[in-house]
Amino acid sequence: MNIKLYITFSFLFAPFFFLCGQTKKDTLSFRVVSYNVENLFDCRHDTLKNDYEFLPDAVRHWNYTKYKKKLDNIARTITAAGGWTPPALVALCEVENDSVLRDLTQRSVLREAGYRYVMTNSPDQRGIDVALLYQRDRFKLISYQGIPIPHISGKKKLRPTRDILHVCGMLLNHDTLDVFVVHLPSRSGGAKESEPYRLHAARQLKATADSIYLHRYHPQILIMGDFNDYPDNASVSKIVSAKAPLQDKSSLQPQRFYHLLARKAATQKDFGSYKYQGEWGLLDHIIVSGTLLQPDADFCTSESKADIFRPSFLLTDDKKYGGVQPFRTYYGMKYQNGYSDHLPVWADFRLIY
């Protein structure tokens, strides 16, 4: 080949060969939301479940019209919480059964979002469970299972409670993400008296989450849900051992858990997802493994990227204690066409793929 022709050819096509040897990467925002939707019951009786309170002839007069409105309210909240894009993952607490999840994802305004879902089938006497909605174009389901909470030996028998939902999925960068959705035993009977049951359930969560560190090459763990405890309570701070992320990023430990909202809960007045006797508190949590706080990782977040979703339509005046409170479906036995007694919490992750 003529040397001048060879040089010209090389000059013209060198950029093409250079680009072909590179991998172009895209970046997207991956939002997760956790929301206790407060008694999402249909208006039909589930055999062997104590759902009589939410039937048409019961004291609440729960009927299809109210049920449909509740679905629309929840769907509106989830849509709004995602902003311009539906959240990639939505953890839900207090959903009754597969029927309400199917109605929520296919027969409400949420249908356009194209969500798929998985949920537990727990022995809870009222029939409430936890679930995870996911966008399958951003989270490819690999597996899921319900983790039962066994009886505490030597203690007064706990009424059957919600299973913990463990979901494993693949992200667009082909990394695995393990998600836990929890709704720990309530404070019914008193916070102190019921605490042993939340501690017991938290130990089950921690043991299962810790086992992932032994089986994953690059473990990435996300825990969401209603703990019925605050960030400084033992179930969160001691058993799961989830503290606010360290300011020094180099001191973050990949195999420890960090609470994305703990610092705000400790330092900001009236910061909370739930209001009890005039006081705001954080019962709904977003906890991540240290691997998800590495700023140079392909999939990561930070505590500055997490908050409570509290638009005005989810709030109403608190006539007894002042200020505002969550706009719930019922106030006592009075139907008020609201949303939930909890506010959603959210976190944004950066995903490079």
Side-chain angles (χ1 to χ4, degrees), residues 90-91 106 141 191 199 211 234 272:
V90 183
Q106 299 181 20
L141 181 67
L199 297 180
S211 70

Side-chain angles (χ1 to χ4, degrees), residues 28-33 74-91 105 109-116 133-139 309 346-349:
L28 62 77
S29 178
F30 188 101
R31 176 163 289 195
V32 304
V33 172
I74 295 169
R76 178 189 179 192
T77 303
I78 292 171
T79 301
W84 293 104
T85 305
L89 301 176
V90 183
T105 56
V109 296
L110 210 59
R111 178 180 181 178
E112 301 301 319
Y115 279 109
R116 297 294 185 268
L133 310 185
Y134 63 94
Q135 291 280 336
R136 57 180 178 171
D137 61 333
R138 285 175 279 169
F139 183 83
F309 183 62
W346 60 268
D348 278 337
F349 292 75

Side-chain angles (χ1 to χ4, degrees), residues 67-110:
Y67 168 61
K68 186 65 168 61
K69 181 60 178 174
K70 175 89 171 179
L71 291 174
D72 289 341
N73 284 347
I74 295 169
R76 178 189 179 192
T77 303
I78 292 171
T79 301
W84 293 104
T85 305
L89 301 176
V90 183
L92 297 176
C93 297
E94 293 198 16
V95 291
E96 184 186 14
N97 51 36
D98 182 79
S99 294
V100 301
L101 266 296
R102 185 172 60 252
D103 289 345
L104 177 63
T105 56
Q106 299 181 20
R107 296 176 180 149
S108 75
V109 296
L110 210 59

Side-chain angles (χ1 to χ4, degrees), residues 18 49 56 100 126 139 153 156 160 173 208 235 266 284 287 318 347:
F18 175 77
K49 297 297 183 181
V100 301
R126 294 180 63 228
F139 183 83
S153 178
K156 179 182 177 182
N173 64 351
T208 307
S235 64
D284 303 275
I287 297 168
D318 186 344

